[in-house]
Every structure is written in C-alpha cells, then in structure tokens.
Amino acid sequence: MTFSLPTPQDIPIDSVPALRWGVIGTGIADRFVTALHAHTAQRAVAVTARDVAKTRAFAHRHGIGTVLPSVEALVASPDVDVVYVSTPHPLHHDQALAAIAAGKHVLIEKPIAMSADEAQAIVDAGRAAGVLVMEAMWTRYLPQSSILRQVIADGVIGDVRLVIADFGFVAPDDRSNRLWDPALGGGALLDAGVYPISFASSVIGPLRLVSASGSQDGDVDSSAALAVTGRGGADGLLATSLVAALPVEARVAGSAGHVRMLSPFFGPTGIEVTLGGIGSEEVATWRDGRFDALHDGLGYQATAFASYVAEGRLESPLHPHDEVVQVMRVIDDARGRIAAS
C-alpha cells in the first residue's frame, strides 16, 4: 500500500487586500518586511523605533517612505491600516493597546506579552474595539502546518497519543544580551519555548502543565523541560534552552503512525509522515522549496492576516485568542516552578 499527503491549503496572495503596515521596532522586523515586500501584496508604509539613525536606515533599505517620531504618531497615522509590534517582549502590551485604542488591527510578535494576564488584556481590548489581534506565531500559517492539520483531521496516523517538540540554542555568553536580561523578557521559555508549547497546543490543546524542570541563570530560565497533557489524554514532552543546541524538531505520534516536522520545525521546511511499524514503514514527505531564506516564510502569516481582515475576523481561526492566552498560562506556570526549584 502506498499513500500520498494532502495538498496545502494556501491563500493566494492576490485574493486578499493590500494593507498598509506600520512597523514598531527594527529587529525581527527586518526579516518580516523583507518577506512582506518580496512574497506578498502587503506593504510597509511607516516605521518608528528608538534609534533614529537605525530607523532611517531601515526605512531606506525597505523603501518605506515615512519615519515617524513615536509609537503614538505611528498608531495615529491615517495612512496605516495594521500595526506590526516587533519590539522586545515587555513593550508588547502597552504598544498593542495603543494600536488597538487607535482603531488599528495589530500583529504582535511572539510571545504576545509577558504574561497570560497581559495577553488577556490585549485580546479583550481587541474584541471590544472590533479590530483583528493576532500573535505572530508564523508556524501556524505555513503549508506544512496545513498538511499536518489535514493528516490529523483525516485520521491518517490514528488517534494522537504524544507530541514531542523542542527549540533551543546556545545563546551568546554576554550578560548584556537581551536573552539574559529579565527587564527585556529574557529566558528560554519566553523567547524559544513558546514555539514548542504553541505547537503542542495546536495539536492536543488546551494544555495542562504536569511538570516543569530546568535551570535558572540569575533571574532568567536558561533551560526547561515540560510534561503536559492535552485533549483525549494525549501527552506532550517539550524542551527549550539557551545553553544547548537542540534538534528543533517536532513529532506527533498516533495509533497508526507518526509525523516529523523537519528542522527547524517553526519555519518553512517540510513534513514527513510514517505509517506502519518497524520493518514495515511507509513514508511520505513534503518539502517546502519555495524560499532561499528561511524567514521569507514570514509572508504566509501576513497574507493570512490580510485575509482575516477582509473577512471581518477579530481573531485567527488557526490561533484563537483563548489558545494564545492559555499557552501564556503554561509559560507563566513553568517559569514560576523553575524559579522556585
């Protein structure tokens, strides 16, 4: 017997409105705007950030015509439809609320905020204002994620029993780096751990944290290993680190087979589905060969965002508000347990 994988359910870029994006911050935004302009119909039209010289260089590099002096000026601009918040984590809450108060749709880099309470405040404000609020968990919008959803929904691998996912790397040994600074949202769980936790949630959520162990370096978590349970009694084993180079893979095991999301699973790489047992396996693989650069896949979420605006949605159907908040609660709980251990 042979089998084939379903076709990704992509959103054509010419089927969505070309929104005007205002950008706050120039870090990961550099990769995002590159993808936005190269692979979507969306356009960044204004930018603001703390360092004026860097902001002007960013605008010049990306052909952005307007550099604004403040967040307040950017969210108030009548030329901006969507605000993209790409600043350090502790700034997300206030900047997102400012954009929402100005009546703008908002895409907020992950993690959406520093805590579940802050995340709840953001999504509640978005609902009340009637604007779309979305966490920039770009993995949800990749073609390989579409294939995974269909494989699970169609029962190809049977009943899901286990999810294993990790994301970790060796961070620079520089205590001035934001990853080691609690004031800038440092720590493995907020920066990298949100990816495997969110992945597990997308498959078996809502999640309940069973155990969390790890290491604390100063005031931030430098590693974490989590056991969670989810829908139907399925289990999750999740890991993150700033001190170990992890495989950055995700696996889903079911009663009839298993799935491997190719490394790095959070970006456009591919998916491998194996049916049968040892010695009688059948394998089907799909690879995303569209891009030369991994982060060009950031464009998928921008196109999805524009489609949701056109549909009048206030939250992503692939990443609902309640799930965003619940993932943050798992992170809150895990950080607290590790800090107290």
Side-chain angles (χ1 to χ4, degrees):
M1 180 185 74
T2 60
F3 72 99
S4 58
L5 296 179
T7 301
Q9 297 174 339
D10 292 340
I11 302 172
I13 62 173
D14 59 358
S15 70
V16 304
L19 302 178
R20 301 168 299 174
W21 294 66
V23 178
I24 305 175
T26 57
I28 186 62
D30 196 54
R31 291 170 170 173
F32 178 77
V33 175
T34 295
L36 197 75
H37 290 173
H39 302 292
T40 81
Q42 311 304 303
R43 287 296 175 266
V45 299
V47 60
T48 191
R50 182 181 57 183
D51 187 310
V52 175
K54 288 183 178 178
T55 306
R56 288 175 176 164
F58 178 95
H60 177 76
R61 186 161 61 252
H62 294 290
I64 298 173
T66 302
V67 174
L68 291 170
S70 65
V71 170
E72 292 75 18
L74 185 134
V75 302
S77 172
D79 298 323
V80 169
D81 303 310
V82 182
V83 173
Y84 171 54
V85 176
S86 66
T87 48
H89 318 331
L91 301 177
H92 290 181
H93 172 265
D94 289 354
Q95 292 174 348
L97 290 182
I100 292 167
K104 307 297 186 185
H105 307 292
V106 60
L107 177 67
I108 308 156
E109 264 307 329
K110 58 80 202 163
I112 190 172
M114 286 291 290
S115 68
D117 288 347
E118 285 191 356
Q120 189 70 62
I122 292 169
V123 301
D124 286 349
R127 286 191 181 111
V131 297
L132 174 62
V133 173
M134 214 167 92
E135 182 181 49
M137 185 52 68
W138 60 310
T139 311
R140 298 290 176 107
Y141 309 98
L142 302 175
Q144 66 208 40
S145 298
S146 171
I147 294 173
L148 175 64
R149 286 189 291 270
Q150 294 178 74
V151 164
I152 292 173
D154 293 344
V156 174
I157 62 169
D159 296 328
V160 173
R161 305 296 191 196
L162 177 67
V163 176
I164 303 173
D166 69 81
F167 182 17
F169 50 89
V170 179
D173 188 16
D174 175 4
R175 298 300 138 150
S176 66
N177 187 288
R178 67 171 184 84
L179 292 170
W180 300 108
D181 188 344
L184 294 178
L189 278 161
L190 284 172
D191 198 79
V194 64
Y195 277 107
I197 297 169
S198 183
F199 178 83
S201 178
S202 74
V203 178
I204 62 169
L207 304 177
R208 179 177 69 85
L209 183 64
V210 176
S211 67
S213 61
S215 55
Q216 191 81 359
D217 190 317
D219 292 323
V220 302
D221 54 287
S222 56
S223 67
L226 278 54
V228 299
T229 60
R231 204 165 31 241
D235 295 313
L237 300 175
L238 314 172
T240 186
S241 181
L242 299 180
V243 293
L246 301 182
V248 198
E249 287 187 345
R251 295 178 181 267
V252 180
S255 56
H258 58 88
V259 175
R260 179 169 69 101
M261 308 301 283
L262 304 184
S263 180
F265 77 87
F266 58 77
T269 50
I271 179 172
E272 177 184 273
V273 179
T274 301
L275 300 183
I278 297 173
S280 61
E281 303 99 329
E282 294 181 70
V283 181
T285 304
W286 181 90
R287 294 181 183 274
D288 192 336
R290 180 180 177 191
F291 305 116
D292 294 327
L294 181 77
H295 285 89
D296 280 358
L298 288 164
Y300 288 124
Q301 73 176 349
T303 296
F305 189 101
S307 76
Y308 301 154
V309 169
E311 293 166 2
R313 296 183 182 272
L314 304 185
E315 60 189 305
S316 165
L318 301 182
H319 197 192
H321 287 346
D322 288 349
E323 185 184 354
V324 173
V325 174
Q326 195 270 337
V327 165
M328 289 305 304
R329 293 206 186 282
V330 172
I331 293 175
D332 287 352
D333 192 358
R335 292 178 74 205
R337 295 193 196 191
I338 291 170
S341 63

